[in-house]
């Protein structure tokens, strides 16, 4: 029996921001160069007045890319660096044309026909949405679900999707941060207690499990669950009965359990740091949430979400670009918080748009490698800055390195002296 030849990857661009607003449009490169401009970007126009009619050309070149500026009025930038003429890039990330942004993508096949779904409490791009689609089958099958991923990737959002998709959707959703539960009271908080079970117990008290009866119990940071209660939780999962502290008879409960951790729980179980039998019981189904840096298409929509309901300045492409260039170890939570801070700083300065220079230099970068301190900035004058920019052909990143500054600091100085930040 002949096996079908797998279809080769289709490299392309994913347009995610244009004319001050998010969008989602995947454009494949089918062997020939792709000419981009205001009237045509993948067969459709773009809502950006800063785009030239024929702005830039992008083509695949071996395993890399080649970008050529076609004499545009407002410049072509790759990862923040201006493209003069034609340049090759081995692994570019973000393309900026005027006030439009696109992400280079090695394979856009799975993005054809996809979209970004925005609800009042969440942004679900194609990458994140594909993961969430695996949650519902686990909930409907009655399986426990283990959610893994870095901090701030949206684990509670996935847990709520599990709750809403299953037969216990009408019951309560009870979220517990296991890292915040002291070992000394973990048993009675989880399983409840009966009058007289301990000093001061003058009434029967339900625990989280009883509170989640006919609903879902979400155990966040489950790796931190005290070892003393792990065996008792396993018994609850196996018998569907909970024995409160000080009780003589177990009480039946109908509760679905969803858990989450940013740690490798399987490795912890193998090392004896977590009960292996409980791990297997909690991870009947498992999903891993991708970090924000692996779902860049979500970023502009998240920024709009962060600024919703405020009198923030208009979102500019340079700010979105700066966010796309950083790893964001705190993921969505960090991005939203830093953007709200940047919006306040922009509003306080009287700026009409939220730009790259308003984003704190340390926002979204790894704690172990902060950007260089701004020691050189006070001694730098306008003439020296202009000379350095000219020496490096207007390349802001290269000029910043030569001056010992972070690129964001250089943008701020350019704005201060009216040098026309792009």
């Amino acid at each position: 029996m002949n096996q079908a030849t797998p279809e080769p990857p289709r490299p392309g661009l994913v347009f995610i921001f244009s004319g001050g607003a998010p969008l989602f449009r995947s454009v494949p490169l089918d062997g020939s160069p792709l000419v981009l401009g205001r009237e045509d970007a993948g067969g459709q126009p773009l809502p950006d007045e800063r785009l030239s009619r024929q702005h830039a050309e992008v083509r695949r070149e071996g395993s890399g890319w080649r970008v050529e500026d076609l004499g545009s009025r407002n410049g072509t930038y790759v990862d923040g660096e201006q493209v003069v003429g034609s340049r090759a890039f081995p692994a570019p990330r973000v393309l900026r044309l005027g006030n439009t942004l696109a992400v280079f993508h090695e394979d856009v096949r799975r993005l054809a026909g996809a979209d970004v779904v925005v609800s009042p409490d969440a942004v679900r791009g194609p990458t994140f949405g594909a993961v969430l689609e695996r949650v519902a089958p686990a909930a409907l099958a009655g399986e426990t679900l283990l959610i893994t991923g870095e901090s701030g990737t949206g684990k509670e959002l996935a847990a709520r999707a599990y709750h809403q998709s299953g037969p216990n959707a009408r019951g309560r959703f009870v979220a517990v941060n296991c890292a915040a539960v002291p070992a000394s009271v973990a048993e009675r908080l989880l399983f409840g207690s009966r009058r007289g079970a301990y000093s001061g117990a003058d009434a029967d008290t339900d625990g989280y499990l009883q509170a989640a009866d006919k609903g879902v119990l979400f155990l966040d940071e489950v790796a931190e669950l005290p070892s003393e209660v792990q065996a008792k939780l396993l018994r609850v999962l196996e018998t569907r009965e909970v024995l409160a502290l000080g009780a003589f008879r177990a009480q039946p409960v109908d509760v679905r359990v969803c858990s989450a951790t940013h740690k490798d729980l399987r490795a912890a179980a193998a090392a004896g740091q977590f009960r292996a039998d409980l791990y297997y019981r909690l991870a009947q189904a498992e999903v891993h949430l991708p970090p924000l840096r692996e779902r860049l298409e979500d970023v502009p929509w998240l920024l709009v979400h962060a600024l919703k309901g405020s009198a923030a300045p208009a979102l500019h492409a340079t700010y979105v670009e700066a966010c796309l260039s950083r790893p964001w170890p705190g993921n969505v939570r960090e991005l939203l918080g830093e953007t709200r801070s940047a919006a306040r700083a922009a509003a306080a300065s009287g700026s009409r748009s939220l730009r790259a220079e308003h984003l704190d230099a340390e926002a979204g970068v790894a704690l172990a490698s902060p950007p260089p301190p701004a020691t050189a900035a006070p001694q730098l004058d306008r003439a020296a800055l202009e000379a350095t920019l000219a020496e490096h052909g207007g390349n802001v990143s290269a000029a910043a390195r030569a001056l010992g500054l972070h690129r964001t600091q250089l943008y701020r100085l350019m704005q201060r002296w009216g040098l026309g930040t792009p």
Side-chain angles (χ1 to χ4, degrees):
M1 181 176 177
N2 295 330
Q3 292 185 343
T5 303
E7 184 183 349
R10 298 181 70 187
L13 296 173
V14 180
F15 286 88
I16 60 174
F17 185 85
S18 186
L23 81 159
F24 181 84
R25 183 192 302 174
S26 62
V27 180
L29 272 73
D30 293 319
S32 57
L34 181 64
V35 177
L36 304 171
R38 181 175 61 251
E39 298 175 1
D40 187 8
Q44 299 181 56
L46 287 168
D48 183 2
E49 295 180 354
R50 291 178 58 85
L51 281 174
S52 299
R53 190 177 64 83
Q54 288 194 329
H55 198 109
E57 179 183 278
V58 177
R59 61 182 178 271
R60 189 73 164 170
E61 192 171 76
S63 59
W65 304 74
R66 179 166 290 276
V67 178
E68 181 179 357
D69 181 79
L70 301 178
S72 66
R73 290 177 298 135
N74 294 304
T76 299
Y77 299 79
V78 173
D79 295 331
E81 298 186 11
Q82 186 168 10
V83 177
V84 178
S86 176
R87 282 187 58 187
F89 297 90
R93 190 173 177 85
V94 181
L95 174 70
R96 173 158 58 91
L97 315 169
N99 203 15
T100 293
L101 295 169
V103 178
F104 294 90
H105 210 290
E106 291 297 320
D107 190 359
V108 297
R109 287 176 300 168
R110 66 176 181 83
L111 302 177
D115 207 345
V116 177
V117 178
V118 180
S119 62
D121 61 346
V123 171
R124 303 182 185 185
T127 302
F128 190 50
V131 174
L132 292 185
E133 286 178 1
R134 296 164 49 201
V135 170
L140 291 170
E143 297 175 325
T144 57
L145 176 69
L146 176 64
I147 306 165
T148 62
E150 296 177 9
S151 176
T153 50
K155 292 191 284 292
E156 183 165 338
L157 179 65
R160 290 188 178 276
Y162 174 85
H163 173 223
Q164 294 162 6
S165 302
N168 287 21
R170 293 187 178 182
R172 293 181 63 188
F173 177 84
V174 178
V176 180
N177 183 353
C178 297
V181 176
S184 58
V185 296
E187 183 176 1
R188 64 183 175 90
L189 288 178
L190 279 168
F191 308 105
S193 60
R194 292 295 171 259
R195 181 179 178 181
Y198 57 91
S199 178
D202 53 5
D204 292 350
T205 303
D206 284 345
Y208 296 129
L209 278 156
Q210 292 95 334
D213 187 28
K214 296 181 176 57
V216 167
L217 177 66
F218 174 46
L219 298 173
D220 197 9
E221 301 298 347
V222 71
E224 309 303 323
L225 193 67
S227 58
E228 296 81 11
V229 301
Q230 290 182 25
K232 194 167 182 177
L233 175 61
L234 176 63
R235 182 162 181 80
V236 172
L237 294 174
E238 291 178 339
T239 66
R240 296 186 176 275
E241 292 182 334
V242 57
L243 183 67
L245 185 65
F248 296 100
R249 182 177 299 174
Q251 173 187 356
V253 288
D254 174 19
V255 59
R256 302 298 173 97
V257 175
C258 176
S259 55
T261 180
H262 69 278
K263 296 183 177 180
D264 187 338
L265 200 59
R266 186 183 184 90
Q273 299 166 354
F274 193 86
R275 288 188 65 110
D277 48 5
L278 180 57
Y279 162 73
Y280 290 119
R281 195 65 181 79
L282 291 173
Q284 291 178 334
E286 184 173 343
V287 295
H288 179 76
L289 301 187
L292 187 60
R293 58 187 173 275
E294 294 179 9
R295 43 185 172 117
L296 296 182
E297 64 270 14
D298 294 7
V299 170
W301 304 88
L302 288 166
L303 297 179
V304 170
H305 178 74
L307 301 174
K308 186 168 55 178
S310 67
L315 193 58
H316 193 269
T318 57
Y319 184 86
V320 184
E321 178 186 41
C323 291
L324 294 169
S325 70
R326 302 189 185 190
W328 296 103
N331 291 286
V332 175
R333 185 183 300 118
E334 184 186 12
L335 175 74
L336 298 181
E338 291 291 349
T339 294
R340 292 178 182 121
S341 296
R344 290 193 292 270
S349 70
S351 176
R352 291 183 296 178
S353 61
L354 182 60
R355 294 173 171 261
E357 56 265 26
H358 299 124
L359 183 63
D360 190 277
E362 296 184 6
V365 298
L367 296 178
S369 55
T375 54
Q379 290 76 37
L380 186 64
D381 59 26
R382 175 173 177 154
L385 176 56
E386 287 182 306
T388 305
L389 283 168
E391 181 182 348
H392 291 85
N395 187 318
V396 175
S397 295
R401 285 193 294 269
L403 294 167
L405 297 175
H406 190 271
R407 190 175 69 192
T408 301
Q409 295 170 315
L410 192 55
Y411 276 129
R412 288 173 178 162
L413 291 173
M414 292 170 67
Q415 184 187 44
R416 180 190 305 169
W417 288 323
L419 295 181
T421 53

